[in-house]
Amino acid sequence: MSAIDDLPPLRDVIATHGLSARKSLGQNFLLDLNLTAKIARQAGDLSGSDVLEIGPGPGGLTRGLLSEGARKVLAIEKDARCLPALAEIADRYPGQLQVIEGDALDIDPLEHLTPPIRVAANLPYNVGTELLVRWLTPPTWPPFWQSLTLMFQREVAERIVAQPGSKAYGRLAVLAQWRSDARIVLSLPPEAFTPPPKVSSAVVHLTALTAPRFDADAAVLSRVVAAAFNQRRKMLRAALKGTAPDIEDRLLAAGIKPTDRAEQVPLEGFCALAREVAKG
């Protein structure tokens, strides 16, 4: 018996279905169901929410989300080997778990979920950052989600919550803190996973703001910060020279010194620069 439901322990599930983790899919499985339930609790009160989960694998976090009272879980899984294990969970929670085989980058969750929606996932390492950026930069705001509770490599988690002037401060920090409150809520050592990754992991909880902290166009801001931090050792007038022909004037108009480097510019400064660049 497992600690959170009457389904088999995850080690037995993995053995029964031959679910060895595949490096090519960025898989590292969490087998401690008490830990997956703890991660699910970081997402908040799930009783009135649908939950989107990416890369459920054998279903450890899925079971945590359902045992914590999620109204519905939509689990998107690319690895067909995991589908029989997930089907067993769906049988245990009738009508509460929908599993879609496919790539999360190609699937619109709004076709399957009803707001309010929360996202909770032990994201595959190879698509985690891309998914986060997509969720943070939709053309309209507020987004489809109320909160994101996501597991990343510890280094990535620290980049999301980093402050100006730190080595970790960059594109992810700007985009995350522009439209959400972000904080690290849980740290996990490598040995919590099977197979153990080479680095520690952390869970980040992001709560969507009703409106961005500062006015800016999402596409322009993304382009500006990507260029600025792609050459972070250069002065901004050099790093951003391809963004606008008169970039030095636009930096000054935004209140930024052209000789500054990207890590010196606070969120408000990048938003002001994005507004200047958007003027054409």
Side-chain angles (χ1 to χ4, degrees), residues 142-212:
F144 75 85
W145 50 272
Q146 282 192 332
S147 68
L148 309 173
T149 306
L150 307 173
M151 187 180 304
F152 294 99
Q153 295 179 10
R154 178 79 195 189
E155 178 186 355
V156 177
E158 289 174 347
R159 284 161 50 197
I160 294 168
V161 302
Q163 296 300 306
S166 68
K167 290 183 179 180
Y169 182 66
R171 173 174 173 245
L172 286 183
V174 172
L175 296 180
Q177 295 170 40
W178 175 45
R179 285 174 155 176
S180 73
D181 285 325
R183 57 194 177 93
I184 293 175
V185 294
L186 201 61
S187 296
L188 296 95
E191 54 268 25
F193 299 86
T194 299
K198 295 180 180 179
V199 296
S200 296
S201 301
V203 177
V204 183
H205 183 75
L206 302 96
T207 304
L209 300 174
T210 54

Side-chain angles (χ1 to χ4, degrees), residues 4-33:
I4 62 172
D5 56 35
D6 53 7
L7 289 165
L10 279 174
R11 287 191 185 278
D12 293 354
V13 172
I14 288 173
T16 299
H17 297 284
L19 298 180
S20 57
R22 287 183 176 173
K23 188 175 181 180
S24 62
L25 295 175
Q27 292 175 328
N28 296 93
F29 298 149
L30 275 171
L31 302 188
D32 184 339
L33 288 167

